[in-house]
mmCIF file of all heavy atoms in Angstrom:
data_model
loop_
_atom_site.group_PDB
_atom_site.id
_atom_site.type_symbol
_atom_site.label_atom_id
_atom_site.label_comp_id
_atom_site.label_asym_id
_atom_site.label_seq_id
_atom_site.Cartn_x
_atom_site.Cartn_y
_atom_site.Cartn_z
ATOM 1 N N ALA A 84 -236.772 372.355 46.878
ATOM 2 C CA ALA A 84 -235.509 372.960 46.475
ATOM 3 C C ALA A 84 -235.721 373.787 45.271
ATOM 4 O O ALA A 84 -236.358 373.409 44.313
ATOM 5 C CB ALA A 84 -234.571 371.726 46.121
ATOM 6 N N ALA A 106 -221.631 380.699 40.447
ATOM 7 C CA ALA A 106 -222.902 381.516 40.313
ATOM 8 C C ALA A 106 -223.276 382.310 41.513
ATOM 9 O O ALA A 106 -224.182 383.114 41.537
ATOM 10 C CB ALA A 106 -224.016 380.528 39.951
ATOM 11 N N PRO A 109 -226.170 379.444 47.010
ATOM 12 C CA PRO A 109 -225.937 378.493 48.042
ATOM 13 C C PRO A 109 -226.035 377.116 47.642
ATOM 14 O O PRO A 109 -226.875 376.807 46.667
ATOM 15 C CB PRO A 109 -226.885 378.895 49.172
ATOM 16 C CG PRO A 109 -228.156 379.550 48.340
ATOM 17 C CD PRO A 109 -227.377 380.222 47.256
ATOM 18 N N ILE A 126 -235.555 374.964 50.433
ATOM 19 C CA ILE A 126 -234.077 375.367 50.592
ATOM 20 C C ILE A 126 -233.778 376.220 49.282
ATOM 21 O O ILE A 126 -234.034 375.816 48.237
ATOM 22 C CB ILE A 126 -233.267 374.052 50.527
ATOM 23 C CG1 ILE A 126 -233.516 373.208 51.747
ATOM 24 C CG2 ILE A 126 -231.766 374.439 50.583
ATOM 25 C CD1 ILE A 126 -232.778 371.812 51.883
ATOM 26 N N ARG A 127 -233.214 377.329 49.539
ATOM 27 C CA ARG A 127 -232.753 378.206 48.503
ATOM 28 C C ARG A 127 -231.586 377.735 47.864
ATOM 29 O O ARG A 127 -230.648 376.981 48.342
ATOM 30 C CB ARG A 127 -232.541 379.579 49.034
ATOM 31 C CG ARG A 127 -233.650 380.351 49.757
ATOM 32 C CD ARG A 127 -234.879 380.819 48.744
ATOM 33 N NE ARG A 127 -235.537 379.701 48.321
ATOM 34 C CZ ARG A 127 -236.514 379.162 48.918
ATOM 35 N NH1 ARG A 127 -236.903 379.548 50.183
ATOM 36 N NH2 ARG A 127 -237.275 377.989 48.452
ATOM 37 N N GLN A 143 -208.466 345.413 55.413
ATOM 38 C CA GLN A 143 -209.686 345.772 56.331
ATOM 39 C C GLN A 143 -210.086 347.140 56.134
ATOM 40 O O GLN A 143 -210.860 347.675 56.904
ATOM 41 C CB GLN A 143 -208.959 345.632 57.781
ATOM 42 C CG GLN A 143 -208.807 344.135 58.061
ATOM 43 C CD GLN A 143 -208.206 343.900 59.485
ATOM 44 O OE1 GLN A 143 -207.538 342.958 59.789
ATOM 45 N NE2 GLN A 143 -208.601 344.670 60.467
ATOM 46 N N ILE A 156 -222.565 349.507 53.484
ATOM 47 C CA ILE A 156 -221.165 349.277 53.942
ATOM 48 C C ILE A 156 -221.075 348.264 54.909
ATOM 49 O O ILE A 156 -220.163 347.249 54.963
ATOM 50 C CB ILE A 156 -220.528 350.617 54.583
ATOM 51 C CG1 ILE A 156 -220.492 351.651 53.424
ATOM 52 C CG2 ILE A 156 -219.283 350.385 55.300
ATOM 53 C CD1 ILE A 156 -220.006 353.031 54.046
ATOM 54 N N ALA A 163 -217.283 340.326 53.773
ATOM 55 C CA ALA A 163 -215.856 340.116 53.631
ATOM 56 C C ALA A 163 -215.284 339.641 54.941
ATOM 57 O O ALA A 163 -214.017 339.412 55.020
ATOM 58 C CB ALA A 163 -215.262 341.380 53.193
ATOM 59 N N GLY A 179 -221.007 359.990 54.016
ATOM 60 C CA GLY A 179 -220.693 361.377 54.184
ATOM 61 C C GLY A 179 -221.435 362.074 55.256
ATOM 62 O O GLY A 179 -220.802 362.821 56.090
ATOM 63 N N HIS A 189 -224.674 352.137 69.587
ATOM 64 C CA HIS A 189 -224.257 350.901 70.297
ATOM 65 C C HIS A 189 -222.763 351.154 70.765
ATOM 66 O O HIS A 189 -222.087 350.099 70.849
ATOM 67 C CB HIS A 189 -224.405 349.680 69.393
ATOM 68 C CG HIS A 189 -225.758 349.533 68.801
ATOM 69 N ND1 HIS A 189 -226.922 349.326 69.494
ATOM 70 C CD2 HIS A 189 -226.176 349.536 67.476
ATOM 71 C CE1 HIS A 189 -227.979 349.204 68.690
ATOM 72 N NE2 HIS A 189 -227.493 349.435 67.364
ATOM 73 N N SER A 199 -209.486 358.274 56.784
ATOM 74 C CA SER A 199 -209.161 359.601 56.145
ATOM 75 C C SER A 199 -210.414 359.979 55.422
ATOM 76 O O SER A 199 -211.304 359.210 55.144
ATOM 77 C CB SER A 199 -207.993 359.523 55.043
ATOM 78 O OG SER A 199 -208.445 358.658 54.081
ATOM 79 N N GLU A 212 -207.172 365.921 51.679
ATOM 80 C CA GLU A 212 -207.424 364.700 52.476
ATOM 81 C C GLU A 212 -207.077 364.911 53.892
ATOM 82 O O GLU A 212 -206.027 365.398 54.214
ATOM 83 C CB GLU A 212 -206.565 363.477 51.862
ATOM 84 C CG GLU A 212 -207.085 362.214 52.492
ATOM 85 C CD GLU A 212 -206.670 361.108 51.625
ATOM 86 O OE1 GLU A 212 -206.832 361.134 50.379
ATOM 87 O OE2 GLU A 212 -206.085 360.004 52.177
ATOM 88 N N ARG A 226 -215.759 369.584 62.504
ATOM 89 C CA ARG A 226 -215.603 370.918 61.833
ATOM 90 C C ARG A 226 -216.427 371.126 60.700
ATOM 91 O O ARG A 226 -216.718 372.198 60.240
ATOM 92 C CB ARG A 226 -214.022 371.040 61.414
ATOM 93 C CG ARG A 226 -213.580 370.054 60.457
ATOM 94 C CD ARG A 226 -212.048 370.253 60.027
ATOM 95 N NE ARG A 226 -211.752 371.403 59.286
ATOM 96 C CZ ARG A 226 -210.676 371.653 58.906
ATOM 97 N NH1 ARG A 226 -209.638 370.649 58.956
ATOM 98 N NH2 ARG A 226 -210.347 372.754 58.189
ATOM 99 N N GLY A 273 -234.761 360.271 63.295
ATOM 100 C CA GLY A 273 -233.639 359.813 64.091
ATOM 101 C C GLY A 273 -233.700 360.499 65.481
ATOM 102 O O GLY A 273 -234.620 361.245 65.795
ATOM 103 N N SER A 274 -232.718 360.261 66.336
ATOM 104 C CA SER A 274 -232.585 360.837 67.646
ATOM 105 C C SER A 274 -232.633 362.390 67.487
ATOM 106 O O SER A 274 -231.852 362.997 66.653
ATOM 107 C CB SER A 274 -231.290 360.513 68.332
ATOM 108 O OG SER A 274 -231.278 359.045 68.611
ATOM 109 N N ALA A 308 -238.930 358.361 73.601
ATOM 110 C CA ALA A 308 -239.249 359.802 73.838
ATOM 111 C C ALA A 308 -238.221 360.785 73.166
ATOM 112 O O ALA A 308 -238.524 361.899 72.985
ATOM 113 C CB ALA A 308 -239.060 360.145 75.332
ATOM 114 N N TYR A 343 -230.019 370.063 70.169
ATOM 115 C CA TYR A 343 -230.453 369.379 69.066
ATOM 116 C C TYR A 343 -229.401 368.456 68.442
ATOM 117 O O TYR A 343 -228.254 368.911 68.264
ATOM 118 C CB TYR A 343 -230.964 370.236 68.061
ATOM 119 C CG TYR A 343 -232.317 370.760 68.231
ATOM 120 C CD1 TYR A 343 -232.682 372.117 68.641
ATOM 121 C CD2 TYR A 343 -233.444 369.858 68.235
ATOM 122 C CE1 TYR A 343 -233.992 372.635 68.740
ATOM 123 C CE2 TYR A 343 -234.738 370.328 68.553
ATOM 124 C CZ TYR A 343 -235.035 371.672 68.721
ATOM 125 O OH TYR A 343 -236.242 372.053 69.005
ATOM 126 N N PHE A 347 -231.763 371.596 61.502
ATOM 127 C CA PHE A 347 -232.810 372.364 60.773
ATOM 128 C C PHE A 347 -232.230 373.063 59.606
ATOM 129 O O PHE A 347 -231.408 373.979 59.795
ATOM 130 C CB PHE A 347 -233.446 373.323 61.753
ATOM 131 C CG PHE A 347 -234.277 372.530 62.908
ATOM 132 C CD1 PHE A 347 -233.679 372.258 64.060
ATOM 133 C CD2 PHE A 347 -235.656 372.179 62.794
ATOM 134 C CE1 PHE A 347 -234.253 371.627 65.196
ATOM 135 C CE2 PHE A 347 -236.228 371.498 63.725
ATOM 136 C CZ PHE A 347 -235.592 371.224 65.007
#
Side-chain angles (χ1 to χ4, degrees):
I126 299 180
R127 302 287 74 82
Q143 289 179 211
I156 291 173
H189 310 295
S199 63
E212 189 161 314
R226 67 183 291 188
S274 296
Y343 279 113
F347 295 92

